[in-house]
Amino acid sequence: MTFPRRIIHYYPRFLDHRSGVTESIAAWAEMAAGAALTEVWVAASPTARSHRDAERLQELGIPLRHVPHFGRSGRTYLPRWRRSDLGPGDLLYVHEGWVLSNVAAVRHARRVGASVIAMPHGVYAPQVVEAGRDLLRIRARLERYVLRRVHAVHLFFPPEAAEVLAVAQAQVPAGVFSNVPPTIEADGRWVGDGGYVVWIGRFVVGHKGLDLMLRGWAELPEPRPPLVLAGPDYLGGKGEVAALVADLGLGDSVTIRDSVSGYEKEQLMIHATGYVHSSRWDACSMVLLEFMARGTPCLVNSTVHAATTYAQAGAALTFTDVSEFPRLIPALTSDTTLGERAATFMQAEVSPDALREPYLAWLESVG
């Protein structure tokens, strides 16, 4: 095997807005950039818009390359690549799924002799598949076409393999490498003196399990510890949460905040006594990774892929039902070593130093 001469992350919507996907792409591009020429290909012109992950790539000297596309959105994009744009020795990453752009990209890459890796970012979760309303099974057939023609899939946790199998209806070679948390400086480590528990994310009630979180909080004896919910609204989700807070009589203990970033976000994270990750499903939450890397004690819904790995390592508490909150919330805020175990696990298992060598060896085996 020889290492790829070029690694290309293809995500047409990279510049549309910052997300966990763009943060993940930037991290994996950085991981490989020292070993091979690495680029990120997008549909919009890099001069037209930007965000923090795009700026991170610029600081690292990783090109954001604008490639022509038909269409005006993620659902309608189709790449207009020349045959010479890709070739033998190139390794193309396609991100997420259920879009025509990935179908076209994989087909073109295989035709010109490039290698292809798919990184699903959780889009094969049964809840996502069911929400697709694919009555004629057209999207399912196209996605099966993609997965059966990639050389490998890059997964974050072992349970994802079953989801890929269900969509591909065939075994697909996989590498399992968790997303990498940001580097935490000494003054960004957990302090835990704020007296509140926190949740940070988009206000998507069903996906993020915010109804579970609040019903669990209603189970706690009074006086309940303060709970801070912070993040951007999504399709009216913040209003749904506010209504549920009122219905459950939690107005005295729950605070709803707008999005936080930079220094404000860091301060909210490090002074919280704990973090509750209530999502019903996700691939590999960057927010959860960051809390754990800071050394913040974390309580994680057992249904997410990360839960088993973190629980077995003693790096997080997990819950299967919100009736457990009266026992687990006090444990979360009183275990003096839980956050330390989380930070130690992150450094030993999912830091750049821990992952770089095995990850690059895997890329070489694929390419």
Side-chain angles (χ1 to χ4, degrees):
M1 295 287 184
T2 58
F3 202 80
R5 68 181 177 91
R6 188 172 54 157
I7 297 169
I8 299 152
H9 288 267
Y10 173 60
Y11 190 55
R13 299 188 295 119
F14 185 92
L15 289 172
D16 287 2
H17 59 82
R18 187 174 186 270
S19 67
V21 175
T22 63
E23 188 173 0
S24 176
I25 290 171
W28 292 110
E30 180 179 4
M31 188 86 73
L37 177 63
T38 303
E39 300 177 352
V40 176
W41 288 9
V42 299
S45 171
T47 60
R49 62 188 82 161
S50 187
H51 53 65
R52 195 167 71 201
D53 295 330
E55 293 164 1
R56 178 182 175 186
L57 292 175
Q58 184 178 17
E59 292 169 359
L60 295 167
I62 297 173
L64 264 172
R65 178 178 167 185
H66 168 231
V67 295
H69 281 74
F70 296 108
R72 296 180 177 273
S73 70
R75 289 185 177 275
T76 60
Y77 281 140
L78 279 173
R80 292 187 290 152
W81 295 345
R82 298 166 299 180
R83 188 173 182 87
S84 59
D85 286 337
L86 285 171
D90 288 333
L91 193 158
L92 179 74
Y93 259 97
V94 292
H95 292 271
E96 291 192 311
W98 308 108
V99 288
L100 290 174
S101 54
N102 280 359
V103 179
V106 170
R107 183 182 181 194
H108 177 78
R110 292 304 303 256
R111 186 168 60 243
V112 300
S115 300
V116 189
I117 292 174
M119 187 184 286
H121 298 274
V123 299
Y124 300 137
Q127 298 90 334
V128 177
V129 176
E130 292 169 8
R133 298 179 181 178
D134 187 15
L135 298 179
L136 299 178
R137 306 292 295 168
I138 294 172
R139 296 179 73 195
R141 288 195 291 270
L142 289 174
E143 207 62 21
R144 185 163 62 245
Y145 172 94
V146 168
L147 287 173
R148 289 185 174 188
R149 283 159 181 80
V150 301
H151 293 84
V153 287
H154 178 152
L155 308 179
F156 301 137
F157 294 98
E160 283 187 275
E163 297 176 352
V164 172
L165 175 62
V167 175
Q169 296 182 8
Q171 293 285 348
V172 183
V176 181
F177 302 95
S178 167
N179 273 329
V180 178
T183 300
I184 305 300
E185 304 297 336
D187 59 359
R189 294 294 303 275
W190 179 66
V191 177
D193 59 356
Y196 59 88
V197 178
V198 69
W199 172 90
I200 296 176
R202 284 192 307 165
F203 279 76
V204 188
V205 176
H207 178 193
K208 301 300 184 181
L210 291 169
D211 54 331
L212 297 177
M213 170 92 75
L214 294 175
R215 294 188 190 283
W217 226 250
E219 295 274 344
L220 299 178
E222 298 187 41
R224 301 179 182 95
L227 172 64
V228 178
L229 310 176
D233 190 18
Y234 183 78
L235 299 178
K238 190 168 285 188
E240 292 180 54
V241 169
L244 190 54
V245 168
D247 289 345
L248 293 171
L250 295 174
D252 291 341
S253 59
V254 177
T255 300
I256 299 173
R257 293 184 52 174
D258 291 331
S259 296
V260 289
S261 62
Y263 179 78
E264 182 183 16
K265 175 186 172 185
E266 178 183 78
Q267 292 302 298
L268 187 64
M269 297 178 89
I270 66 176
H271 292 289
T273 54
Y275 166 69
V276 179
H277 189 72
S278 54
S279 294
R280 285 181 164 89
W281 73 91
D282 61 36
C284 188
S285 167
M286 299 300 291
V287 172
L288 175 57
L289 285 173
E290 183 174 350
F291 269 109
M292 293 183 67
R294 291 187 187 280
T296 305
C298 295
L299 174 63
V300 181
N301 193 335
S302 62
T303 59
V304 302
H305 291 315
T308 299
T309 298
Y310 296 164
Q312 288 177 346
L317 301 178
T318 63
F319 71 92
T320 57
D321 189 273
V322 296
S323 63
E324 300 172 275
F325 272 39
R327 174 177 61 85
L328 290 173
I329 296 302
L332 177 72
T333 57
S334 63
D335 187 336
T336 59
T337 63
L338 180 60
E340 182 180 343
R341 295 198 302 271
T344 300
F345 175 81
M346 289 290 110
Q347 181 61 38
E349 300 294 333
V350 298
S351 67
D353 288 343
L355 287 179
R356 184 174 290 106
E357 185 175 337
Y359 174 62
L360 294 180
W362 179 68
L363 289 184
E364 183 173 9
S365 72
V366 174

